[in-house]
């Protein structure tokens, strides 16, 4: 029986879906672009499953660029040239228990109509890479990116000894083959690397995955001889194991395991730990064995990957838009250790929420060293029963996020003391209070000037989902809003962001803070890390730049760093970014990329949005009542309006050029006026987002699913189920070339 839903149900679901989408994109950006992990796998997976559930209950919420339909990672950055994969690089769905795995295996065999063999291999905690060989010669190496387009890291990959630039043997080799694998540091090499980094006074890496990503995604330009030697040393310590193929026309083998055997004869590094098993119960045993022997493996692992071995079944079982149905990743539960709880300190985030954090004696758990862990709120502290001075049980949830489970009561000696939640904000001194009656969380109500909140908002402005300013990361945001010196911050609020000059940017020194916790990052000696991001630096102390230790002569104090000039150039370019990005940057509650696009497309200017009634805002497809109320409430705040006035005075563009006015975007004509188009798969010359925007710019409607109302389906490699449904419904299907002709000349051009 169908579930009846109301307009209010849809509005609430849309608001929740938009919040989830924004958060998931933030987490993906942190993980793939900044090598920073902010939540556990379980928490990330919970959010993804909730978003999938909402999109199942309310299909109109699912867009083409939803996280449920896309692979994590950015298509391209300013660091590296883009490379389009010949075949999509998908991600993997996860399971966290044997029961979940067995349910997946039962479905696979049910869909296949017979028993299948499973190839089991260790899930390496590294960086996915795609190697393209033409006639046996390596021509490119690229990161996964968004699954369609990755970053060109060919020159760095050529320095990794394990990766052949020419395949072994006499061939014949395929005219084109893509080999997929994982780049990582073996445990021994990682430990040696950190020793070498420490001796050189350079950054010591917290875990092997971040070290691998940071080593591979670095540029030689601008480095002196010593820095270049260190970079090459790190690259030579990297290793790789292949775990599959991408594009390869008619491979001369019938199974995944035979592919591994063939790749090994070509001189490509393959794992010795994989096994082909003929029953799910045997896979259970494989999972349990390596779960108990994780420390015996030469590299870090965080689970087991299980694949259907028969290649013909891969095509039969197919894939979703982001993951194959013929493979799954089993994620191991976290490790646990004991350590000392030294203190509980409170941090304030972007929304003003005051969060207690455990500060502990440094301990290594699940492959990385941990000093801090969130305790969420004062009620959680009480529920866990921890006292300052306790020995506590710490685990890495999902082998990523540290979590205090509770105290070891037997080890108490009477010196422990209770945590008392502070009455006042530790950042600005304002009295903390719940946002509304009944809230457990306490917040700082000084939203305008609390430096911690301003720092969080400024960092959000530079994030991928907002203005996408790479130079405006966590260190730059902290330097501009909470500097160690000078005493007065360049940005008391974000209102002055676009009016910054070089004179505002240096000299600035800042205590480096963790973007998630807001707490200071620490050096190896336990002191807060200090950085001077906007001026040239010469002298180091304890492995970090220390402006108070000297090393800045009069001439160099007047010379800005490359990052200072880059930030101002980025801000100059951001003034004319699309209106939807400006809307996201304003930090309006509930207005993430999806709602911002809808508002910008419908109204065309900030003035039109500001002048709209609640009913007019709520009527926009993709907005609704909850977001409409949030928009109106934001404009009611005087200091919010000041942000708009100052940004406008500094040249920020709050209009969409040539927009015909509120509600007239679709009526403005265009080659696709009145047409509904679905773009799916890899369309040469277009990113997923680019294809969607091209349809909208031509006056058409970009739909995320195929229905009888669809006029055309533009399909490339990897189109999957949408292509099949279009064929079933008899909807015209066009390739990338046909899509370009349709955009240029409409249906008559086909």
């Amino acid at each position: 029986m169908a579930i009846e839903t109301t307009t209010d149900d849809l509005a609430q679901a849309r608001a929740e879906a938009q919040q989830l989408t924004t958060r998931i994109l933030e987490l993906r950006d942190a993980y793939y672009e900044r090598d920073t992990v902010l939540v556990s796998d379980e928490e990330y997976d919970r959010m993804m499953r909730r978003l999938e559930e909402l999109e199942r209950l309310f299909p109109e919420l699912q867009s083409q660029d939803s996280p449920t339909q896309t692979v994590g990672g950015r298509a391209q950055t300013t660091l590296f040239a883009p490379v389009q994969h010949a075949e999509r690089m998908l991600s993997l769905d996860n399971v966290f228990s044997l029961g979940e795995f067995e349910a997946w295996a039962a479905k696979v065999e049910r869909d296949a109509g017979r028993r299948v063999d499973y190839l089991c291999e260790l899930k390496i905690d590294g960086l996915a890479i795609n190697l393209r060989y033409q006639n046996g010669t390596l021509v490119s190496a690229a990161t996964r990116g968004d699954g369609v387009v990755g970053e060109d890291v060919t020159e760095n990959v050529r320095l990794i000894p394990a990766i052949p630039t020419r395949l072994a043997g006499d061939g014949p080799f395929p005219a084109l083959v893509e080999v997929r694998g994982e780049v990582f540091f073996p445990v021994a090499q990682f430990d040696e690397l950190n020793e070498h980094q420490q001796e050189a006074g350079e950054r010591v890496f917290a875990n092997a995955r971040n070290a691998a990503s940071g080593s591979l995604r670095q540029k030689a330009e601008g480095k002196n001889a010593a820095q270049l030697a260190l970079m090459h040393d790190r690259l030579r310590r990297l290793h790789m194991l292949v775990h599959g193929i991408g594009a390869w026309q008619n491979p001369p083998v019938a199974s995944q395991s035979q592919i591994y055997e063939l790749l090994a004869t070509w001189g490509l590094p393959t794992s010795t730990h994989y096994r082909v098993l003929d029953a799910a119960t045997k896979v259970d045993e494989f999972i349990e064995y390596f779960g108990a022997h994780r420390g015996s493996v030469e590299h870090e692992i965080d689970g087991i990957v299980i694949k259907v071995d028969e290649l013909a079944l891969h095509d039969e079982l197919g894939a979703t838009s982001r993951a194959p149905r013929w493979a799954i990743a089993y994620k191991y539960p976290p490790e646990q250790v004991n350590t000392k709880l030294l203190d509980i300190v409170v941090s304030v985030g972007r929304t003003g929420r005051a969060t207690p954090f455990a500060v502990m004696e440094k301990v290594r758990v699940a492959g990385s060293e941990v000093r801090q862990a969130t305790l969420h709120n004062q009620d959680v502290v009480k529920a866990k029963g921890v006292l300052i001075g306790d020995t506590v049980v710490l685990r890495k949830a999902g082998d990523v996020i540290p979590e205090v489970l509770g105290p070891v009561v037997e080890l108490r000696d009477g010196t422990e003391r209770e945590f008392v939640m502070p009455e006042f904000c530790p950042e600005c001194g304002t009295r903390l209070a719940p946002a509304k009656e009944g809230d457990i969380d306490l917040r700082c109500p000084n939203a305008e000037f609390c430096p911690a909140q301003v720092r969080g908002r400024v960092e959000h402005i530079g994030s991928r989902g907002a203005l996408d300013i790479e130079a405006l990361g966590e260190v730059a945001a902290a330097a501009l809003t909470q500097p160690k010196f000078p005493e007065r911050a360049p940005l008391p609020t974000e209102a002055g962001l676009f009016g910054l000059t070089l004179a505002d940017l240096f000299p600035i020194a800042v205590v480096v803070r963790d973007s998630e916790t807001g707490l200071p990052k620490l050096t190896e000696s336990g002191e807060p890390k200090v950085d001077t991001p906007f001026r040239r630096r010469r002298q180091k102390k304890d492995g970090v730049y220390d402006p108070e230790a000297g090393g800045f002569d009069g001439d160099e104090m007047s010379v800005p760093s490359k990052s200072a000039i880059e930030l101002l150039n980025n801000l100059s370019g951001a003034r004319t970014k699309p209106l939807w990005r400006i809307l996201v940057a304003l930090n309006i509650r509930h207005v993430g990329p999806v709602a911002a696009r809808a508002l910008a497309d419908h109204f065309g200017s900030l003035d039109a949005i500001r002048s709209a009634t609640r009913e007019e805002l709520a009527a926009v497809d993709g907005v609704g009542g909850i977001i409409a109320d949030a928009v109106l409430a934001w404009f009611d705040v005087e200091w919010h309006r000041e942000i708009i006035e100052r940004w406008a005075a500094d040249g920020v563009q709050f209009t969409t050029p040539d927009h015909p006015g509120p509600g007239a975007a679709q009526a403005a004509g265009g080659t696709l006026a009145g047409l509904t188009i679905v773009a799916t798969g890899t369309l040469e010359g277009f990113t997923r987002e680019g294809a969607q925007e091209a349809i909208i710019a031509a006056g058409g409607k970009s739909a995320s699913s195929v229905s009888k109302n669809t006029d055309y389906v533009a399909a490339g490699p990897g189109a999957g189920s949408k292509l099949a449904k279009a064929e079933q419904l008899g909807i015209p299907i066009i390739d990338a070339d046909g899509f370009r002709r349709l955009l240029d000349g409409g249906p008559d051009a086909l």
Side-chain angles (χ1 to χ4, degrees):
M1 186 177 78
I3 300 175
E4 293 186 6
T5 59
T6 67
T7 302
D8 286 343
D9 290 336
L10 177 59
Q12 291 177 2
R14 177 173 280 117
E16 183 181 358
Q18 289 167 346
Q19 286 181 303
L20 287 168
T21 296
T22 299
R23 182 58 172 157
I24 290 169
L25 291 177
E26 289 174 350
L27 296 174
R28 284 184 174 182
D29 192 54
Y31 184 81
Y32 289 106
E33 306 307 325
R34 303 198 304 275
D35 304 321
T36 303
V37 179
L38 301 182
V39 300
S40 67
D41 279 356
E42 289 98 328
E43 178 66 7
Y44 180 85
D45 193 65
R46 183 195 65 76
M47 288 189 283
M48 284 290 290
R49 289 183 179 180
R50 176 58 179 163
L51 184 56
E52 288 170 351
E53 180 184 21
L54 289 172
E55 291 178 351
R56 177 179 57 80
L57 293 173
F58 303 91
E60 58 267 56
L61 297 183
Q62 187 184 88
S63 64
Q64 193 170 346
D65 57 358
S66 167
T68 65
Q69 306 299 305
T70 58
V71 174
R74 193 182 300 182
Q76 51 187 292
T77 69
T78 57
L79 282 177
F80 299 93
V83 173
Q84 183 163 327
H85 308 309
E87 184 171 317
R88 284 188 309 159
M89 287 186 75
L90 298 177
S91 185
L92 288 174
D93 288 331
N94 297 323
V95 293
F96 295 92
S97 70
L98 293 180
E100 288 180 340
F101 159 69
E102 289 163 0
W104 173 83
K107 185 178 187 307
V108 165
E109 298 197 7
R110 194 164 56 245
D111 291 345
R114 63 183 186 278
R115 183 194 62 77
V116 303
D117 291 335
Y118 299 97
L119 183 143
C120 305
E121 58 191 356
L122 307 185
K123 187 176 183 298
I124 304 167
D125 194 12
L127 180 72
I129 200 78
N130 183 53
L131 307 176
R132 184 179 299 179
Y133 288 89
Q134 290 182 354
N135 299 311
T137 299
L138 178 68
V139 295
S140 73
T143 61
R144 187 198 331 254
D146 67 351
V148 176
V149 177
E151 297 170 308
D152 186 350
V153 290
T154 310
E155 295 309 310
N156 287 351
V157 162
R158 291 183 186 278
L159 295 173
I160 301 175
I163 300 177
T165 56
R166 174 72 188 172
L167 298 179
D170 298 324
F173 302 114
L176 171 67
V177 61
E178 285 181 326
V179 179
R180 273 78 189 267
E182 205 81 0
V183 171
F184 62 94
F185 279 107
V187 174
Q189 290 284 0
F190 174 66
D191 291 339
E192 289 178 11
L193 169 67
N194 266 347
E195 290 176 8
H196 194 63
Q197 292 282 113
Q198 192 166 12
E199 289 171 1
E202 295 290 335
R203 170 191 177 194
V204 175
F205 293 98
N207 58 64
R209 195 269 171 195
N210 286 7
S213 179
S215 298
L216 190 63
R217 298 175 68 247
Q218 58 182 328
K219 300 283 280 186
E221 294 145 322
K223 286 183 167 55
N224 58 36
Q227 293 169 329
L228 202 58
L230 193 62
M231 169 182 165
H232 289 176
D233 176 70
R234 284 164 58 181
L235 289 168
R236 282 190 288 267
R237 293 175 186 271
L238 284 170
H239 195 64
M240 177 196 175
L241 288 176
V242 301
H243 55 54
I245 58 169
W248 187 356
Q249 190 171 6
N250 301 319
V253 291
S255 67
Q256 181 85 13
S257 52
Q258 289 174 340
I259 284 177
Y260 286 6
E261 293 168 4
L262 179 56
L263 295 180
T265 66
W266 289 351
L268 287 160
T270 56
S271 175
T272 59
H273 297 296
Y274 77 87
R275 299 289 183 273
V276 178
L277 304 170
D278 60 7
T281 53
K282 295 180 180 178
V283 176
D284 288 350
E285 295 171 2
F286 185 92
I287 290 171
E288 290 177 333
Y289 174 85
F290 279 102
H293 296 83
R294 292 167 69 174
S296 68
V297 182
E298 62 270 22
H299 52 75
E300 298 280 359
I301 65 172
D302 58 0
I304 300 295
V305 176
I306 305 103
K307 303 174 181 175
V308 173
D309 194 36
E310 184 182 344
L311 294 182
L313 277 178
H314 291 192
D315 293 333
E316 186 176 329
L317 294 170
T320 67
S321 60
R322 63 175 297 274
R325 294 190 176 93
W326 45 265
I328 201 78
Y330 178 96
K331 302 298 290 290
Y332 282 126
E335 295 179 349
Q336 297 182 2
V337 295
N338 288 0
T339 188
K340 197 79 168 178
L341 178 61
L342 303 176
D343 200 0
I344 297 176
V345 298
V346 172
S347 172
V348 175
R350 172 166 65 110
T351 63
R353 179 182 174 188
T355 303
F357 282 86
V359 178
M360 299 163 290
E361 285 184 353
K362 184 171 65 175
V363 65
R364 190 171 181 83
V365 54
S368 63
E369 293 179 338
V370 174
R371 277 194 175 114
Q372 299 167 347
T374 180
L375 289 168
H376 302 288
N377 57 56
Q378 65 270 34
D379 283 8
V380 171
V381 177
K382 290 178 182 177
K384 289 182 181 290
V386 294
L387 302 177
I388 297 170
D390 267 338
T391 296
V392 294
V393 179
L394 178 73
R395 74 170 180 177
K396 289 285 288 295
D399 286 350
V400 171
I401 298 300
E403 176 187 0
V404 174
L405 295 181
V408 183
V409 178
E410 298 82 343
L411 296 179
R412 285 178 175 166
D413 60 11
T415 62
E416 297 80 13
R417 68 185 192 278
E418 241 182 277
F419 165 71
V420 179
M421 190 72 180
E423 291 184 52
F424 301 95
C425 174
E427 302 283 358
C428 69
T430 304
R431 185 180 292 276
L432 299 174
K436 60 180 183 293
E437 188 177 350
D439 276 3
I440 296 172
D441 293 333
L442 297 179
R443 296 179 184 273
C444 172
N446 181 23
E448 181 177 7
F449 291 114
C450 177
Q453 297 182 60
V454 179
R455 181 192 73 239
R457 294 197 299 268
V458 170
E459 186 176 345
H460 170 76
I461 289 169
S463 68
R464 176 191 178 191
L467 296 185
D468 196 17
I469 300 174
E470 291 200 15
L472 192 59
E474 61 183 53
V475 175
L480 294 169
T481 58
Q482 290 181 287
K484 185 181 172 92
F485 71 82
E487 185 175 340
R488 187 180 185 280
L491 290 182
T493 77
E494 62 268 43
L497 179 64
F498 289 95
L500 288 172
T501 66
L502 278 177
D504 296 316
L505 296 186
F506 67 99
I508 294 179
V510 63
V511 173
V512 180
R513 295 172 180 264
D514 183 275
S515 61
E516 181 71 5
T517 67
L519 298 176
K521 293 185 178 181
L522 304 177
T523 65
E524 284 301 304
S525 62
E527 296 298 314
K529 289 185 178 180
V530 177
D531 197 0
T532 55
F534 300 129
R535 71 178 187 185
R536 284 167 55 179
R537 298 156 286 185
R538 296 180 59 194
Q539 193 172 98
K540 294 182 180 180
K541 181 179 180 181
D542 293 333
V544 296
Y545 294 105
D546 184 359
E548 295 182 342
F552 298 90
D553 60 36
D555 290 333
E556 293 211 357
M557 285 183 71
S558 65
V559 178
S561 68
K562 180 181 177 182
S563 62
I565 297 170
E566 180 185 3
L567 174 59
L568 294 184
N569 287 338
N570 286 169
L571 287 171
S572 178
R575 290 183 174 98
T576 55
K577 285 204 172 183
L579 176 59
W580 72 266
R581 288 191 175 276
I582 303 293
L583 289 174
V584 176
L586 289 174
N587 280 279
I588 303 171
R589 190 180 183 194
H590 300 315
V591 178
V594 176
R597 282 179 182 275
L599 289 166
D601 289 347
H602 183 86
F603 290 100
S605 73
L606 190 67
D607 282 344
I609 295 170
R610 187 173 175 177
S611 302
T613 65
R614 181 187 188 278
E615 291 69 26
E616 289 169 334
L617 291 168
V620 176
D621 185 24
V623 179
I626 293 175
I627 295 174
D629 289 337
V631 171
L632 293 172
W634 192 90
F635 282 114
D636 277 342
V637 179
E638 183 179 354
W639 66 269
H640 290 167
R641 298 193 295 272
E642 182 186 349
I643 292 172
I644 296 172
E645 291 166 6
R646 291 188 60 184
W647 283 15
D650 290 326
V652 174
Q653 178 178 284
F654 288 109
T655 61
T656 300
D658 301 320
H659 191 283
Q666 293 299 322
T671 56
L672 302 186
L675 299 178
T676 298
I677 316 294
V678 173
T680 182
T682 304
L683 292 167
E684 185 179 357
F686 296 91
T687 62
R688 184 183 299 271
E689 186 179 74
Q692 182 184 30
E693 291 180 350
I695 293 167
I696 295 170
K701 178 180 179 181
S702 177
S704 60
S705 58
V706 178
S707 71
K708 63 181 181 181
N709 296 321
T710 304
D711 293 291
Y712 293 93
V713 171
S721 60
K722 293 178 184 178
L723 178 60
K725 187 166 184 180
E727 292 171 341
Q728 179 186 351
L729 295 175
I731 294 168
I733 298 166
I734 54 178
D735 58 12
D737 182 61
F739 182 52
R740 276 187 287 272
R741 284 187 277 121
L742 181 66
L743 290 170
D744 292 338
D748 292 341
L750 296 177

